[in-house]
């Protein structure tokens, strides 16, 4: 997992970068073709199902986390810093690209937060509760995979992919504020709750994207549902 | 001398160089080394190694590259493969590394003789890895949230080297750690697998000779999932007897994938699964109602699932779960049949009603009872009889007639439809035709041709034919539209008697029977043959039929095999119905071995050998020989007798010379009765069997009558005395031997007394008996039965006649020597006695008595043989008898001769109680 985390946290690594470049070139060459439409629909379909599974896993993980950390499931948690809120006004007025960008930003944030939580989890419990760690790692993978889906969809939209914060700032991400042990628990709870919310929203966003776009004349929307 | 010292110093230096540790504790530097060091070589490639000598050794030991020799595992490499590059370097080249072995050593010949090792390397030969092929992956669900992916591939050929396989997988933006197989080289399992992202998977094989990668597999792991089978399967009975509801839990959430299902079920105890149509269970669900089931039947269910769109793999079948449908009323009535026993009387039936228990799918529950109704159809006034039975048979006593039997099975839900059986008074309807059987694997097919009339049902009875027990009937009912059924439970090699009855609406047809085997075998034993009768050229063989248990099939024929010891075997085939056969054209007086073989369609079995020997002669042959021989013999005898008869005179003269009649002798003439005696011609009747073997004849001339002195007559007197003495013992005298003589004599004497009174000229004989032991003997006068003394008893009448003639010329006196045994004496005596009796009764007047003096009763000391005495006495008796028989003539004709002849009497003795003739 260490290697994986490293790879995920530094997607600008040589291998990953070269793959992305190859894929982007391929995508640009095929943009607007029927295969691109199929690709978009396939990505949406997988994304919807992935988001659905992610939500189910996060809900299960929330229960395990609350129990393992000795928290109250009904405890109110303040909004997590750095994560866009899933609930937005005038959601149905958003464009597809806007939705994809907001989703991508959110999941990139979740990816970093979950990796931090996983690290803290290992430091705290070691191998004592491997089950919770595996569940966290699984959710982290799903978040990462979903972000990949979003990036692919953005490429199909012929839109540039915004760079991550880590890439933009040469100094790297700001060090996380020093939090107490309990505050870290609460923050973890807040991250998982917000992720569950975002999973629901992502499903709706992708369904919206999968619908046939009169502007683009894309193929009919997918009938699949999570 | 210097050179030699130099070589010794060189060798010592080499040893020092190789063996002595240097200051750092390791070995000192050797005199050379090989390049490359421990190479790994591809199999089949060429290889060149260099051995480089150190300069120091060159200087001190005078060793050069030209002295280098190469060895592979102590085997010298041919020098053709060497090449001296310079004075310190020698190379060796191998065109094919397959000839290499470890170690490859570089050596030097010091002084041309002493071989010293310079250096050695290990050579490893192998193959580069092949490209792994046939990569495939499957994601196993191991728990509710845990999935593992196992990939397998074909690693290719063996490389002979340590080859490492790595399963690599990655997302476009992420690289995952490699999966390294443990203990195997063709599969690996990845524990952290994520769905809904296309994952690129491949295998990389690496060893010292190279690296190879498989084709890349790009797949979303969700599409290769083999989910866990549905859990906690439960079955509940519905309200309907044909429905069961199946419920379960899916262990994979709809968020991951939606599922479709397969449901299979079977009746408990059955092995054939039925399946719910897949389209009925092609959508996600957690329960399903299975319909169309049998009531009151236990079913076993199992379920499996897979991804709804068909991507991936079916799960394993879940554990079997059982459920039972609820009861329903029986679907049909029990098959019923009857066996009628009329052994008591034809008019009174014992009807055994038998029926089969309904099969579970027909009973639809637990049969609580059977309701039996019997209606007498021949008498409308007879009440209907009802019986409730829990078993499957019922026996009724019925009068001969037509009956209708109705049977209903009832369970807790309700009754079955009725089964009706008509029992007619007689099976007068048409039977089935062309009844036949045909074995079909383990079943016996029975077929028939239907009668012309409409048949409701057929009843097929069958039973195992046994010689030791009764036929236990099994039966089965077939519907009227079939013309054949399969009988189950039929044992091979057993004979079955199969009977088919057609049942009509208004009666029943007579049964047609056939015997059949499911499978035939050769008989278990052969017939035991034996002979019933053996003749000269034929033998009648008999045998017993094999028992039905021994036959194992239909006996198609018997085969008789017989042969002589050294002859060819003759084979005769006999009809199986026979138990006797006559072998003909056999050789007489020959030992035959015969055995018998019984044959079925599937083989034969031979019985024990039996041997017999034909007779030497045929029937009647012996008779045909013996009878003619006997007849011929008899004929010859007859001819001989006739011949002898014709030549009897000649024979007689030859065998029995003519004996002169003593009565004609001079001595005979001394007795006054002699002349009368010679008139008797039936003398041979008195002595028919008398014979003499030794005869002494004394001839006395009639003219010498006077010359007889008293001395001459004494013997005769003594003879008389002897007679009187011996007669008392009744042994030697013919009269006494007849036992009746004494008494007869007495009576005769009594009668004779009267006779004496009438005629004093009659000569008497007197028999004097001695007393028994101390008793006083009673003297009895009796007719003398003695043939003594004149011994002519054996002569025939002819002889007498002849003798009489000669007697006229001469008087003979002879004496006999006992050639006649008592038997011969006795029997004539008996005959004589009868004659005498008859004569006594007929004419007592002519009875002649001879008186013998009482003095003669003294024991005789003359030593005369008893037979002689008997003969003598017998002759006397004969004389008397003759005299008696011919008495009338004698009396009439001989008065003159008596007068003329001198009266001569034997001395007479009167004893006490005796009788004195007057």
């Amino acid at each position: 997992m260490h290697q994986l985390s490293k790879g995920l946290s530094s997607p600008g690594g040589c291998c990953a970068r070269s793959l992305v470049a190859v894929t982007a070139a391929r995508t640009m060459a095929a943009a607007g073709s029927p295969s691109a439409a199929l690709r978009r629909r396939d990505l949406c379909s997988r994304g919807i199902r992935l988001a659905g599974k992610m939500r189910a896993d996060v809900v299960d993980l929330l229960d395990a986390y609350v129990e393992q950390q000795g928290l109250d499931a009904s405890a109110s948690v303040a909004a997590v810093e750095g994560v866009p809120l899933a609930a937005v006004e005038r959601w149905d007025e958003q464009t597809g690209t806007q939705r994809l960008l907001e989703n991508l930003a959110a999941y990139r944030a979740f990816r970093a937060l979950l990796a931090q939580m996983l690290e803290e989890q290992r430091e705290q419990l070691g191998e004592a509760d491997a089950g919770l760690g595996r569940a966290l790692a699984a959710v982290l993978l799903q978040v990462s995979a979903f972000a990949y889906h979003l990036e692919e969809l953005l490429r199909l939209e012929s839109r540039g992919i915004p760079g991550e914060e880590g890439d933009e700032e040469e100094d790297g991400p700001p060090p996380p504020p020093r939090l107490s042990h309990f505050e870290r628990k609460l923050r973890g709870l807040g991250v998982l709750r917000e992720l569950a919310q975002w999973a629901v929203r992502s499903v709706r966003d992708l369904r919206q994207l999968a619908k046939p776009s009169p502007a683009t004349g894309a193929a009919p929307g997918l009938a699949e549902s999570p | 001398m210097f050179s030699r010292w130099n070589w010794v110093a060189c060798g010592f230096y080499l040893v020092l160089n190789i063996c002595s540790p240097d200051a750092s504790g390791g070995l000192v530097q050797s005199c050379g080394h090989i390049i490359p060091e421990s190479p790994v070589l591809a199999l089949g490639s060429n290889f060149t190694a260099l051995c480089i000598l150190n300069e120091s050794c060159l200087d001190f030991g005078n060793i050069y590259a030209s002295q280098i020799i190469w060895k592979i595992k102590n085997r010298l490499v041919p020098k053709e493969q060497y090449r001296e590059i310079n004075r310190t370097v020698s190379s060796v080249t191998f065109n094919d590394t397959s000839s290499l072995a470890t170690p490859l050593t570089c050596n030097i010949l010091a002084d041309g003789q002493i071989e010293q090792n310079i250096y050695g390397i290990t050579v490893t030969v192998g193959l580069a890895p092949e490209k792994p092929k046939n990569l495939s992956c499957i994601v196993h669900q191991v728990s509710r949230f845990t999935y593992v992916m196992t990939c397998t591939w074909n690693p290719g050929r063996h490389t002979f080297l340590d080859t490492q396989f790595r399963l690599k997988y990655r997302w476009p933006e992420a690289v995952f750690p490699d999966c390294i197989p443990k203990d195997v080289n063709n599969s690996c399992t990845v524990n952290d697998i994520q769905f809904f992202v296309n994952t690129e998977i491949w295998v990389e094989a690496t060893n010292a000779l190279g690296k190879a990668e498989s084709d890349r597999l790009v797949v979303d792991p969700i599409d290769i999932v083999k989910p866990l089978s549905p859990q906690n399967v439960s079955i509940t009975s519905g309200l309907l007897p044909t429905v069961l509801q199946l419920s379960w839990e899916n262990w994979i959430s709809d968020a991951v994938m939606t599922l479709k299902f397969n449901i299979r079920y079977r009746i408990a105890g059955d092995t054939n699964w039925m399946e719910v149509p897949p389209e009925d269970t092609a959508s996600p669900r957690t329960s399903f109602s299975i319909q169309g089931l049998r009531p009151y039947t236990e079913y076993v269910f199992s379920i499996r699932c897979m991804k709804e769109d068909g991507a991936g793999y079916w799960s394993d079948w879940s554990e079997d779960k059982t459920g039972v449908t609820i009861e329903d009323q029986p679907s049909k009535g029990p098959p019923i049949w009857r066996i009628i026993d009329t052994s008591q009387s034809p008019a009174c039936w014992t009807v055994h009603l038998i029926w089969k228990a309904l099969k579970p799918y027909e009973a639809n529950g637990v049969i609580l009872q059977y309701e039996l109704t019997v209606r007498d159809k021949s008498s409308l006034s007879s009440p209907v009889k009802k019986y409730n039975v829990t078993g499957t048979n019922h026996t009724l006593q019925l009068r001969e007639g037509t009956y209708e039997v109705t049977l209903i099975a009832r369970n807790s839900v309700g009754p079955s439809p009725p089964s009706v059986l008509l029992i007619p008074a007689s099976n007068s309807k048409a039977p089935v035709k062309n009844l036949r059987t045909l074995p079909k694997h383990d079943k016996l097919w029975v077929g028939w041709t239907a009668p012309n009339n409409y048949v409701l049902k057929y009843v097929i009875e069958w039973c195992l034919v046994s010689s030791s027990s009764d036929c236990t009937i099994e039966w089965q009912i077939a519907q009227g539209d079939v013309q054949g059924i399969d009988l189950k439970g039929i044992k091979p090699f057993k004979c079955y008697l199969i009977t088919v009855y057609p049942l009509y609406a208004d009666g029943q047809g007579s049964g047609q029977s056939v015997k059949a085997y499911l499978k035939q075998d050769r008989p278990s034993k052969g017939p035991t043959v034996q002979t019933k009768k053996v003749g000269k050229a034929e033998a009648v063989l008999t045998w017993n039929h094999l028992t039905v248990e021994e036959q194992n099939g239909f006996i198609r024929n018997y085969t008789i095999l017989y042969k002589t010891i050294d002859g060819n075997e003759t084979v005769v085939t006999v009809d199986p119905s026979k138990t006797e056969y006559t072998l003909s054209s056999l050789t007489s007086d020959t030992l035959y071995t015969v055995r018998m073989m019984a044959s079925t369609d599937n083989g034969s079995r031979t019985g024990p050998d039996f041997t017999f020997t034909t007779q030497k002669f045929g029937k009647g042959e012996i008779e045909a020989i013996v009878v003619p021989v006997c007849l011929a013999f008899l004929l010859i005898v007859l001819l001989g007798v006739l011949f002898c008869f014709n030549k009897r005179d000649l024979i007689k003269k030859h065998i029995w010379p003519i004996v002169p009649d003593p009565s004609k002798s001079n001595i005979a003439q001394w007795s006054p009765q002699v002349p009368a005696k010679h008139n008797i011609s039936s003398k041979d009747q008195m002595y028919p069997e008398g014979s003499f073997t030794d005869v002494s004849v004394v001839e006395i001339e009639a003219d010498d009558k006077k010359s007889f002195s008293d001395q001459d007559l004494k013997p005769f007197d003594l003879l008389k005395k002897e007679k009187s003495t011996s007669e008392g013992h009744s042994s030697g005298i013919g009269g006494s031997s007849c036992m009746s003589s004494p008494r007869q004599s007495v009576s005769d004497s009594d009668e004779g007394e009267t006779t004496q009174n009438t005629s004093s000229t009659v000569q008497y004989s007197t028999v004097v008996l001695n007393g028994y032991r101390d008793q006083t003997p009673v003297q009895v006068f009796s007719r003398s039965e003695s043939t003594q003394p004149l011994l002519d008893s054996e002569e025939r009448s002819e002889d007498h006649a002849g003798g009489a003639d000669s007697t006229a010329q001469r008087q003979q006196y002879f004496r006999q020597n006992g050639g006649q045994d008592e038997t011969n004496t006795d029997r004539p005596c008996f005959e004589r006695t009868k004659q005498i009796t008859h004569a006594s009764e007929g004419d007592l007047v002519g009875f002649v008595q001879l008186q013998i003096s009482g003095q003669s009763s003294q024991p005789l000391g003359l030593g005369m043989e008893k037979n002689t005495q008997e003969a003598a006495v017998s002759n006397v008796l004969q004389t008397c008898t003759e005299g008696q028989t011919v008495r009338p003539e004698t009396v009439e004709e001989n008065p003159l001769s008596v007068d003329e002849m001198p009266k001569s009497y034997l001395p007479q003795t009167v004893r006490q109680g005796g009788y004195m003739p007057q």
Side-chain angles (χ1 to χ4, degrees):
Chain A
M1 185 54 68
H2 175 71
Q3 186 183 352
L4 177 62
S5 302
K6 186 178 173 184
L8 287 172
S9 58
S10 57
C14 65
C15 292
R17 260 200 304 268
S18 63
L19 268 174
V20 169
V22 169
T23 308
R26 199 165 46 208
T27 304
M28 289 180 69
S33 65
S35 62
L38 289 175
R39 170 75 177 158
R40 183 168 180 272
R41 196 193 312 174
D42 178 58
L43 283 170
C44 286
S45 169
R46 290 182 188 280
I48 290 167
R49 305 192 67 169
L50 177 57
K53 181 174 187 303
M54 189 162 55
R55 171 171 161 73
D57 288 351
V58 169
V59 170
D60 291 339
L61 180 59
L62 263 174
D63 293 339
Y65 185 83
V66 167
E67 183 181 358
Q68 194 270 334
Q69 301 289 355
L71 298 172
D72 185 359
S74 60
S76 93
V77 180
V80 179
E81 187 180 353
V83 178
L85 289 176
V88 292
E89 292 179 359
R90 290 180 292 187
W91 170 81
D92 52 349
E93 294 179 1
Q94 287 186 328
T95 62
T97 305
Q98 192 176 0
R99 295 176 196 275
L100 289 173
L101 289 172
E102 284 191 7
N103 273 276
L104 181 58
Y107 283 97
R108 281 178 172 171
F110 282 127
R111 187 166 62 192
L113 289 168
L114 286 171
Q116 186 178 351
M117 281 177 64
L118 188 61
E119 193 69 24
E120 292 169 356
Q121 183 73 20
R122 285 180 178 157
E123 289 176 2
Q124 177 189 346
L125 299 173
E127 297 298 326
D129 194 346
L132 186 62
R134 277 200 299 271
L136 265 175
V139 170
L140 173 58
L141 272 174
Q142 291 170 30
V143 168
S144 177
F146 195 75
Y148 165 72
H149 276 115
L150 295 172
E151 290 171 358
E152 287 294 299
L153 284 168
L154 280 170
R155 288 193 192 94
L156 286 174
E157 296 284 335
S158 302
R159 292 296 303 264
I161 300 170
E164 290 194 62
E165 293 177 354
D167 294 335
E168 293 169 356
E169 298 177 8
E170 294 181 356
D171 299 337
R178 301 294 299 176
L179 297 175
S180 66
H181 183 59
F182 184 71
E183 287 171 333
R184 287 202 296 268
K185 285 183 179 180
L186 284 180
R187 190 191 60 179
L189 182 61
V191 168
L192 293 178
R193 279 181 178 174
E194 196 61 33
L195 179 57
Q197 292 291 329
W198 263 106
V200 175
R201 179 184 165 176
S202 298
V203 170
R204 296 179 65 186
D205 284 335
L206 289 180
R207 279 181 178 166
Q208 198 70 21
L209 283 170
K211 284 180 181 177
S213 169
T216 57
L222 297 175
E224 291 192 45
S225 60
Chain B
M1 185 66 187
F2 172 79
S3 174
R4 191 170 183 179
W5 170 249
N6 193 19
W7 275 111
V8 170
C10 177
F12 180 71
Y13 176 77
L14 281 172
V15 170
L16 276 180
N17 261 329
I18 294 169
C19 299
S20 61
D22 62 4
S24 63
L27 289 172
V28 297
Q29 189 177 5
S30 65
C31 276
H33 63 280
I34 296 175
I35 295 175
E37 177 78 34
S38 299
V40 178
L41 307 174
L43 197 64
S45 63
N46 56 17
F47 170 66
T48 300
L50 303 174
C51 184
I52 304 169
L53 300 176
N54 291 341
E55 290 289 341
S56 57
C57 293
L58 240 63
D59 297 339
F60 187 77
N62 292 324
I63 54 177
Y64 303 98
S66 60
Q67 296 168 318
I68 288 176
I69 58 173
W70 293 86
K71 281 189 165 182
I72 301 173
K73 204 174 181 179
N74 298 326
R75 179 167 55 85
L76 194 63
V77 177
K79 291 200 172 181
E80 294 76 19
Q81 296 178 235
Y82 302 172
R83 190 163 72 90
E84 182 182 355
I85 295 175
N86 55 37
R87 59 193 291 261
T88 61
V89 178
S90 172
S91 71
V92 63
T93 301
F94 300 91
N95 291 327
D96 188 353
T97 52
S98 59
S99 62
L100 275 172
T102 294
L104 174 65
T105 56
C106 171
N107 309 277
I108 193 163
L109 280 175
D111 199 16
Q113 295 173 350
I114 302 171
E115 181 180 317
Q116 296 289 336
N117 178 252
I118 300 297
Y119 202 78
I121 59 171
T122 299
V123 178
T124 305
V125 179
L127 294 169
E130 277 190 319
K131 175 182 174 182
K133 298 170 185 170
N134 301 331
L135 174 64
S136 65
C137 298
I138 179 171
V139 175
H140 293 279
Q141 184 186 14
V142 294
S143 71
R144 188 181 288 268
F145 302 109
T146 309
Y147 301 86
V148 297
M149 183 176 72
T150 301
C151 294
T152 57
W153 60 89
N154 179 359
R157 66 187 178 191
H158 182 51
T159 62
F160 308 102
L161 300 174
D162 180 22
T163 303
Q164 191 175 32
F165 289 85
R166 289 173 174 268
L167 177 68
K168 293 177 169 290
Y169 61 105
R170 70 179 186 186
W171 289 346
E173 78 286 8
V175 177
F176 298 97
D178 294 342
C179 177
I180 300 174
K182 293 177 180 174
D183 305 325
V184 295
N185 63 356
N186 63 344
S187 71
C188 196
T189 298
V190 178
N191 291 323
D192 296 320
I193 194 71
Q194 296 301 321
F195 298 132
F196 309 115
V197 183
N198 281 335
T199 306
E200 190 175 20
I201 307 168
W202 72 100
V203 178
E204 186 179 275
T206 308
N207 67 12
L209 294 176
K211 183 172 76 173
E213 287 185 354
S214 69
D215 292 334
R216 307 224 167 181
L217 179 69
V218 179
V219 64
D220 183 348
I222 197 69
D223 291 335
I224 53 173
V225 172
K226 180 182 180 182
L228 283 175
S229 57
Q231 306 292 309
N232 300 328
V233 179
S234 62
I235 297 165
T236 52
S237 300
L239 295 175
L240 296 173
T242 58
V243 176
L244 284 176
Q245 188 173 37
L246 193 65
S247 302
W248 64 90
E249 291 179 15
N250 295 321
W251 270 30
I252 192 164
S253 69
D254 289 347
V256 176
M257 67 163 106
T258 52
L259 298 172
K260 65 179 182 180
F261 304 89
N262 274 170
I263 298 172
R264 65 178 183 178
Y265 60 98
R266 61 179 168 87
I267 296 172
D270 199 350
T271 55
N272 297 323
W273 289 96
M274 294 165 282
E275 195 161 326
V276 174
E279 56 270 21
D280 292 352
T281 55
S283 58
R285 62 182 64 240
T286 56
S287 67
F288 189 81
S289 291
I290 299 107
Q291 303 176 18
L293 304 178
R294 290 175 184 168
Y296 197 64
T297 304
E298 184 179 22
Y299 283 91
V300 179
F301 292 89
S302 181
I303 185 172
R304 65 177 182 177
C305 61
M306 77 175 298
K307 194 160 175 273
E308 186 182 7
D309 61 3
Y313 302 89
W314 281 105
S315 71
D316 294 330
W317 287 101
S318 67
E319 286 186 0
D320 292 349
K321 288 288 180 181
T322 58
V324 183
T325 50
I326 61 175
E327 284 192 27
D328 195 3
Q329 63 186 28
S331 60
K332 61 177 286 189
I336 183 170
W337 184 233
R338 87 292 175 278
I339 297 173
I340 299 174
D341 183 4
T342 59
S343 59
Q344 293 181 351
S345 75
C348 182
W349 290 353
T350 300
V351 180
H352 302 282
L353 294 172
I354 50 179
W355 56 91
K356 292 181 182 294
L358 290 171
K359 294 183 171 62
Y361 60 86
E362 297 167 338
N364 292 339
V366 178
I367 299 299
L368 302 175
Q369 68 175 19
Y370 296 96
E371 296 169 4
L372 192 65
T373 304
V374 180
R375 185 196 310 273
D376 187 352
K377 296 194 73 173
S378 54
S379 171
L380 295 175
S381 60
S382 297
V384 175
K385 297 178 181 177
K386 294 186 176 181
Y387 308 90
N388 290 332
V389 185
T390 55
T392 56
N393 60 75
H394 191 69
T395 300
L396 297 171
Q397 297 292 337
L398 299 175
R399 285 183 288 105
E400 182 183 12
T402 301
Y403 297 90
E404 183 184 81
V405 179
T406 305
L407 183 67
I408 290 172
R410 182 180 290 276
N411 65 11
S412 62
V413 178
S416 70
S419 295
V420 179
L421 175 67
L422 183 68
I423 304 177
S426 64
N427 298 341
S428 57
K429 302 290 181 182
V432 298
K433 293 174 281 188
N434 193 21
L435 183 62
R436 59 206 180 273
T437 63
L438 185 67
K440 284 184 176 177
H441 303 292
D442 59 338
K443 299 173 187 172
L444 187 63
W445 179 81
V446 180
W448 59 86
T449 302
N452 294 328
N453 300 331
Y454 174 72
V455 178
L456 284 179
K457 294 175 182 175
Y458 294 98
V459 175
I460 302 93
E461 284 184 353
W462 71 92
C463 67
L464 178 64
V465 180
S466 169
S467 60
S468 58
S469 61
D470 291 337
C471 216
T472 304
I473 291 176
E474 297 181 72
W475 58 280
Q476 185 174 336
I477 287 182
Q479 293 305 311
D481 55 348
V482 302
Q483 294 190 17
I485 61 165
D486 291 328
L487 301 184
K488 297 175 183 174
I490 302 295
K491 300 174 184 172
F493 317 129
K494 301 290 184 186
C495 182
Y496 284 86
L497 178 66
I498 300 164
T499 308
V500 177
Y501 299 91
L503 302 186
Y504 300 94
D506 55 348
Q508 177 179 318
S510 58
Q512 291 289 304
S513 297
V514 65
K515 285 185 175 179
Y517 285 86
L518 175 64
K519 190 186 290 183
Q520 295 189 49
D521 196 4
R522 63 176 187 156
S524 55
K525 63 175 285 190
T528 301
V529 65
Q530 57 187 0
T531 53
K532 180 180 179 184
K533 185 179 175 184
V534 178
K536 179 184 177 184
E538 71 282 331
V540 180
L541 303 178
T542 62
W543 61 90
N544 292 326
H545 285 305
L546 298 176
T547 64
V548 69
E549 288 83 3
E550 294 167 343
Q551 290 180 4
N552 291 339
F554 293 114
I555 301 296
R556 297 304 183 193
N557 57 57
Y558 290 119
T559 305
I560 299 172
L561 307 102
Y562 65 98
K563 62 175 182 177
T564 58
I565 290 177
D566 52 353
N568 291 330
E569 194 167 60
T570 307
V571 177
V572 179
T573 302
V574 183
D575 188 84
S577 61
K578 293 184 177 178
T579 58
E580 186 174 307
Y581 185 80
T582 301
L583 300 179
S584 55
S585 303
L586 303 178
T587 308
S588 63
D589 195 22
T590 303
L591 180 67
Y592 278 90
T593 301
V594 62
R595 58 200 169 99
M596 196 152 180
M597 183 167 69
S599 302
T600 66
D601 291 338
N602 286 56
S604 305
R605 181 83 74 175
T606 305
D609 287 352
F610 182 81
T611 57
F612 66 89
T613 304
T614 51
Q615 293 184 350
K616 199 168 187 176
F617 299 101
K619 180 184 177 183
E621 270 189 10
I622 294 177
E623 289 83 348
I625 294 171
V626 170
V627 169
V629 168
C630 291
L631 288 175
F633 178 74
L634 286 174
L635 188 61
I636 292 169
V637 169
L638 187 62
L639 291 174
V641 168
L642 288 174
F643 177 77
C644 292
F645 186 76
N646 288 332
K647 302 292 182 183
R648 63 185 182 278
D649 295 338
L650 184 63
I651 294 170
K652 187 187 291 181
K653 286 178 182 176
H654 186 71
I655 298 176
W656 294 290
I658 297 171
V659 178
D661 188 354
S663 61
K664 299 293 192 310
S665 69
N666 295 332
I667 295 174
Q669 289 172 357
W670 173 74
S671 174
Q673 72 176 86
V674 169
K677 188 173 64 177
H678 288 281
N679 293 328
I680 299 170
S681 62
S682 60
K683 189 176 179 180
D684 57 333
Q685 294 176 357
M686 300 300 292
Y687 304 100
E689 297 179 6
S691 63
F692 300 100
T693 58
D694 187 10
V695 178
S696 299
V697 178
V698 178
E699 292 187 0
I700 305 170
E701 296 295 329
D703 297 338
D704 295 337
K705 219 186 282 184
K706 295 177 183 177
S707 65
F708 287 122
S709 63
D710 293 337
Q711 294 294 328
D712 295 326
L713 294 173
K714 276 183 181 177
F716 199 62
D717 292 338
L718 289 173
L719 182 63
K720 291 176 185 175
K721 290 178 183 177
E722 180 193 354
K723 280 171 65 180
S724 63
T725 304
S726 61
E727 189 161 357
H729 296 288
S730 304
S731 61
I733 300 173
S736 64
S737 68
C738 293
M739 298 304 292
S740 60
S741 295
R743 194 170 56 197
Q744 186 67 45
S745 300
V746 170
S747 62
D748 290 349
S749 300
D750 293 342
E751 294 170 358
E753 188 177 1
T754 307
T755 307
Q756 284 179 341
N757 291 333
T758 57
S759 178
S760 61
T761 60
V762 177
Q763 190 173 4
Y764 296 92
S765 67
T766 301
V767 177
V768 180
L769 299 178
N770 290 330
Y772 180 69
R773 292 184 177 178
D774 298 334
Q775 295 176 4
T776 304
V778 177
Q779 186 176 16
V780 179
F781 288 94
S782 174
R783 175 180 55 88
S784 174
E785 296 175 1
S786 172
T787 59
Q788 177 67 17
L790 300 179
L791 305 178
D792 60 348
S793 60
E794 300 306 320
E795 294 178 5
R796 301 287 188 270
S797 57
E798 295 86 359
D799 300 335
H800 281 287
D805 296 339
S806 61
T807 305
Q809 299 172 355
R810 59 182 183 182
Q811 297 292 328
Q812 289 183 341
Y813 175 77
F814 67 89
R815 176 171 170 263
Q816 297 177 358
N817 282 330
Q820 187 176 9
D821 57 16
E822 286 186 3
T823 305
N824 291 336
T825 308
D826 291 344
R827 192 167 58 85
C829 178
F830 182 66
E831 292 173 357
R832 282 196 310 269
T833 305
K834 288 194 291 183
Q835 292 170 351
I836 290 166
T837 307
H838 176 72
S840 301
E841 292 171 354
D843 186 9
L844 297 174
V845 177
F847 192 79
V848 180
Q849 288 187 336
L850 178 63
Q851 287 187 338
I852 301 174
S853 113
Q855 294 175 350
S856 66
S857 64
Q858 294 176 356
L860 296 177
L862 298 178
M864 290 181 66
E865 293 181 15
K866 180 181 176 183
N867 290 336
T868 307
Q869 298 167 13
E870 291 172 355
V873 173
S874 175
N875 205 15
V876 171
L877 180 58
Q878 179 187 0
T879 306
C880 298
T881 306
E882 288 170 350
Q884 178 186 356
T885 305
V886 299
R887 181 65 186 174
E889 296 176 2
T890 308
V891 170
E892 293 174 3
E893 294 176 8
N894 293 335
L896 290 177
S897 62
V898 170
D899 292 337
E900 290 171 2
M901 293 192 65
K903 305 281 190 218
S904 63
Y905 294 91
L906 287 174
Q908 296 181 1
T909 302
V910 177
R911 302 187 66 168
Q912 188 176 357
Y915 178 81
M916 177 66 73
Q918 297 297 319

